[in-house]
Amino acid sequence: MTPSTVARTPAPATPDAPLRTWGGTHSWQPARRLAPRDEGELGAVVARAAADGTRVRAMGAGHSFTAAAVTDGVHLGLDHLSGIEAVAPQPDGTSLVTVRAGTRLHHLNRLLAALGLAMRNLGDIDRQSVAGAISTGTHGTGARLGGLATQVRGVRVVGADGAVRSASDAAAPGSPERELFEVARLGLGVAGVLSAVTLEVVPAFWLRAQEEPWPLDRVLEQLDEYVDGNDHAEFYWFPGTRRALTKRNNRATAEEIEAWAAARAGGLGAVRTAGSRARALLDEEVLSNGAFEVVNRLAFAAPGLVPRLNAVSARALGAKTYVAPSADVFVTRRRVRFVEMEYALPRAALRDVLDELDAWLRASGEPVPFPVEVRFAAADDVWLSTAHGRETAYVAVHQYAPMPHQRYFSAAEQIFAAAGGRPHWGKMHTRTAEHLADHYPLADVARVRAAVDPGGVFRNGYTDTVLGGGLTPRPDGAG
């Protein structure tokens, strides 16, 4: 399908201040910033840029820590492409929901809830756009579940010629449509600009959330039981300690939901089986926001205090259990600014990796006030998924944004890479296509890119670094 002719000029997306990633890891000034108001206008904008020899990149919320969205060409904001287009119930009880690509996840969650639907799994941040989240490999946690890209059943993508093409997982394996689908659903935007995504969603459900401090050794000794015995399991480990906060989220029963509703009607809020509301609020704030900001500011001002601060944080957390709608449990508010590196590891390698990281942190004395986050995913067959072909443990290291992170991240990356780790496409790392060719079918990705974008309109320096150039370079400063 070709784009409709558009007479009006696209509205500017933002003022002329430089664009920045949420974590402050990259800043750039594109030549033009445009915010197409519909799919036809998006196609016309892309075709015009390609004809001018200008590169194009789209950005959602800027939550990637990498340079995935950086360009000095045309920067596209997709916020006008928002909302649900269609809902198609399926015989198996799921529904196929077609959503415009610029829809923010928190908006999508509200729209789905109003329809009695939900995503079967989510990450812990909901500020991203749908397109940005799936294109960079956003995932949640769950031994039987994959990342967001595994929930994608179809895409509409605007190519370098401005045409809108549809592709889905129903296409025959090896066909051009199926291969376009593979690169468009998780491919850093190199196959074109997503305009809409069809997601497989499930009936709305509630989760019973259990948070409990455990000794780290107990978590690791019981890892298989812990991960496989829960719908969604993860844990946070505080560097310099051997304590972890475990988080187990499982489908709530009707009785648990009724008890929650009765408690709420009685003015008690959520049901919490351990600790008071004040303690629950303290736990949430220590991990996420107000009090945690104070902890990190202290760490920045006096790095020598970090071991004691981590010990206090690890011991301040109490056990709690509550029930709530799934999206309310999955998502955590993140107001403390940080930078992050995350690697996907073979699950069997997790304990050795954490032991090595612990040894390095103790030997180096590196001040790290942020906990290490560990999550899990099932193996999948998405070409560029970090869980492609293997059961996966994700290990994420963070640092408070104002504090130095280079030495910590470099040491962690060496440990992760030696264990066969794959970096998250949207989080900090130094891997290149040469390193990643052993993990992904980069030759197949290059073939699709050459077919749909022979002029390299959707390239930038980051995509060339991690996926390979594969096309004749153009001197526009973006790679």
Side-chain angles (χ1 to χ4, degrees), residues 76-139:
L76 295 178
L78 302 181
D79 284 350
H80 292 308
L81 276 68
S82 182
I84 290 175
E85 291 184 352
V87 179
Q90 302 298 295
D92 63 358
T94 64
S95 294
L96 298 182
V97 174
T98 300
V99 56
R100 296 181 186 94
T103 309
R104 299 301 175 94
L105 287 174
H106 61 89
H107 185 206
L108 175 61
N109 289 336
R110 291 197 301 270
L111 294 175
L112 291 176
L115 296 169
L117 300 170
M119 299 283 284
R120 60 164 43 92
N121 202 11
L122 286 165
D124 62 1
I125 295 175
D126 63 359
R127 302 293 101 179
Q128 311 101 310
S129 68
V130 169
I134 67 168
S135 294
T136 54
T138 296
H139 62 90

Side-chain angles (χ1 to χ4, degrees), residues 236-244 286 292 295-296 298-299 303-317 358 361-362 365-372 398-399 403 408:
Y236 294 83
W237 161 54
F238 290 83
T241 78
R242 297 297 290 181
R243 293 178 63 83
V286 166
F292 193 43
V295 167
N296 279 273
L298 284 171
L305 292 177
V306 167
R308 279 178 282 175
L309 291 171
N310 284 352
V312 170
S313 294
R315 292 190 176 278
L317 298 168
D358 185 30
L361 286 163
R362 291 177 185 276
E366 190 75 5
V368 180
F370 257 83
V372 174
H398 310 72
Q399 182 61 288
M403 295 180 69
Y408 177 35

Side-chain angles (χ1 to χ4, degrees), residues 374-387:
V374 182
R375 293 179 288 173
F376 304 90
D380 64 49
D381 62 356
V382 180
W383 281 10
L384 292 177
S385 167
T386 48

Side-chain angles (χ1 to χ4, degrees), residues 455-474:
V457 172
F458 303 114
R459 292 171 56 188
N460 72 357
Y462 179 67
T463 64
D464 282 358
T465 296
V466 297
L467 301 178
L471 299 168
T472 302
R474 297 207 319 235

Side-chain angles (χ1 to χ4, degrees), residues 24 41-42 57 94 96 161 295 307 363-364 371 425 443 455 463:
E41 192 172 277
L42 172 61
R57 296 296 290 171
T94 64
L96 298 182
D161 57 358
V295 167
S364 67
W425 299 107
T463 64

Side-chain angles (χ1 to χ4, degrees), residues 45 63 65 68 82 95 120 130 155 162 168 205 208 211 220 234 243 250 287 315 325 347 372 388 394 454 456 459 479:
V45 165
H63 260 276
F65 297 92
S82 182
S95 294
R120 60 164 43 92
V130 169
V155 297
S168 78
F205 61 99
R208 179 181 70 259
E211 300 182 12
L220 298 177
E234 62 185 304
R243 293 178 63 83
N250 294 285
L287 264 183
R315 292 190 176 278
R347 194 169 115 181
V372 174
H388 183 92
Y394 290 98
R459 292 171 56 188

Side-chain angles (χ1 to χ4, degrees), residues 157-170:
V157 58
V158 175
D161 57 358
V164 181
R165 295 176 175 84
S166 297
S168 78
D169 64 350

